[in-house]
Amino acid sequence: MNRHDLFIELNKSNFEFFHVGQYECHVRLDDDSEFMVQLSGGSISKKRMDLLKNILENYEKNITKAVQQLKAFDLDIGENYFLYGIFVGEFNFGSHGRYLFDGFTVSLKREDGTIQDKLNLGIYTVQFKADGWPLGVTLWFE
């Protein structure tokens, strides 16, 4: 399945292809990227699936915003990167999770095609509010 097929199935409210776990459902696409959606009360939330559809509709724009946000923190991942995954779910802000909101993350990984690329274990994640406003950056290591 590719992003286009995923978008078509989401528009049909067909979620059968998602692997459902205890807390989230996910699907791995042909390009090896993964889309995860946090469950709400043990079930798939229409609100979060609508957010995923919006993310897919604005895919290029969201990727560009993520790269710009990384650059704002002096994290230049270069020109050769790929989508590692997108997570849609609930986030908290402030002390002790006082402010809960739905949002999403875009995770990118650098790829330069060299043997040194195997040493690049960094995954660059940008967190967004549901309206697409970037909130922050996280650097992960595999």
Side-chain angles (χ1 to χ4, degrees):
M1 175 175 283
N2 60 37
R3 279 192 317 272
H4 179 71
D5 294 338
L6 175 60
F7 183 72
I8 290 170
E9 294 302 317
L10 288 172
N11 278 325
K12 293 193 262 182
S13 295
N14 177 13
F15 307 134
E16 293 176 7
F17 53 88
F18 275 94
H19 303 282
V20 180
Q22 186 174 1
Y23 302 106
E24 81 283 326
C25 59
H26 63 275
V27 60
R28 186 171 297 277
L29 300 185
D30 295 340
D31 64 1
D32 222 21
S33 61
E34 187 167 17
F35 289 73
M36 295 177 60
V37 179
Q38 183 180 20
L39 299 178
S40 179
S43 62
I44 295 174
S45 162
K46 180 180 178 343
K47 179 180 171 185
R48 290 186 182 149
M49 286 301 178
D50 287 345
L51 178 54
L52 180 55
K53 284 193 282 189
N54 184 284
I55 293 165
L56 290 168
E57 276 183 315
N58 298 293
Y59 178 80
E60 294 299 330
K61 179 180 167 186
N62 289 318
I63 298 298
T64 299
K65 281 167 76 173
V67 171
Q68 289 171 342
Q69 188 72 4
L70 289 169
K71 288 180 180 179
F73 285 92
D74 289 329
L75 296 170
D76 188 356
I77 64 172
E79 297 298 319
N80 296 319
Y81 54 85
F82 61 93
L83 177 68
Y84 190 77
I86 289 179
F87 172 80
V88 177
E90 183 178 84
F91 296 93
N92 62 51
F93 183 74
S95 300
H96 310 291
R98 292 186 183 153
Y99 177 59
L100 297 174
F101 59 93
D102 274 359
F104 64 98
T105 63
V106 173
S107 296
L108 303 169
K109 189 167 181 177
R110 183 174 34 223
E111 178 177 55
D112 63 12
T114 66
I115 194 70
Q116 290 84 7
D117 193 43
K118 292 183 179 179
L119 300 175
N120 174 27
L121 303 177
I123 299 171
Y124 302 82
T125 299
V126 178
Q127 182 181 358
F128 295 87
K129 289 175 62 177
D131 64 4
W133 186 262
L135 292 174
V137 171
T138 305
L139 179 59
W140 302 89
F141 294 96
E142 290 184 297

